[in-house]
Amino acid sequence: MPFSELFDNEFKQRNRGHFSAIVRVAFADGKISPEEQEFLNKIASTLQISEEEYKEILSDPWKHPINPPYLYTQRLERLYDLARMVHVDHHLGDLQEVMLRRMGLALGFTPGNVDFIVAKALSLVDKKVDLDTFLFEMENMNK
């Protein structure tokens, strides 16, 4: 296997894991709404998830591990996607919030601050901020 394929495969695995996490959040309330389906389609395209991978992940989203990024900014970008998924159907069920906390922990946020981070992320997504504003606000929330 060429050296360059190692990075390509790792990138694809990370994207599948991230998409799988988003699908888990979507399924937390037991169904996927049309708005959630539209969001999943958009995210799948962005993450370069093939049609075959898409169907596989929808059938078993727990098959792929969540590979947390090393960089804090990348963790926040993933949290942004997950928070938007929770918020997309305009009602936050208890299971979705619990799932978002779990995903936050899986992304590497500590148990001591995950509730605060999730609450802040949801409040920013509720205000429909863009990714740049989200990142700025999350990185500077303690200043």
Side-chain angles (χ1 to χ4, degrees):
M1 173 186 311
F3 186 69
S4 62
E5 283 185 28
L6 290 174
F7 292 107
D8 191 41
N9 286 338
E10 185 178 324
F11 177 76
K12 287 180 181 179
Q13 277 185 310
R14 238 188 337 259
N15 282 351
R16 283 191 296 266
H18 182 47
F19 184 69
S20 173
I22 293 169
V23 171
R24 290 177 205 181
V25 172
F27 270 128
D29 62 358
K31 62 183 178 6
I32 294 180
S33 71
E35 295 87 3
E36 289 171 327
Q37 185 68 52
E38 184 179 324
F39 183 76
L40 287 174
N41 293 341
K42 182 179 168 185
I43 291 292
S45 175
T46 302
L47 294 174
Q48 301 173 351
I49 303 294
S50 71
E51 185 69 30
E52 183 179 302
E53 291 170 326
Y54 185 91
K55 289 177 184 176
E56 176 193 341
I57 291 170
L58 280 180
S59 69
D60 186 8
W62 288 267
K63 182 178 179 180
H64 298 279
I66 299 171
N67 301 311
Y70 177 73
L71 298 175
Y72 185 71
T73 301
Q74 291 174 332
R75 289 184 204 170
L76 290 175
E77 288 172 357
R78 289 197 179 180
L79 181 63
Y80 178 70
D81 288 340
L82 292 167
R84 290 189 323 160
M85 179 83 257
V86 166
H87 191 265
V88 78
D89 61 5
H90 304 293
H91 66 279
L92 181 63
D94 291 339
L95 289 177
Q96 288 177 319
E97 190 171 354
V98 168
M99 185 63 75
L100 188 58
R101 271 195 225 107
R102 287 182 187 166
M103 294 297 125
L105 290 169
L107 284 173
F109 298 108
T110 64
N113 69 5
V114 73
D115 290 337
F116 183 65
I117 287 172
V118 165
K120 179 71 173 182
L122 289 172
S123 74
L124 290 170
V125 168
D126 189 42
K127 295 176 186 174
K128 299 184 183 347
V129 300
D130 63 6
L131 177 60
D132 291 332
T133 304
F134 181 87
L135 293 174
F136 177 81
E137 291 292 329
M138 293 299 288
E139 289 173 348
N140 294 293
M141 69 179 158
N142 292 327
K143 294 181 181 178

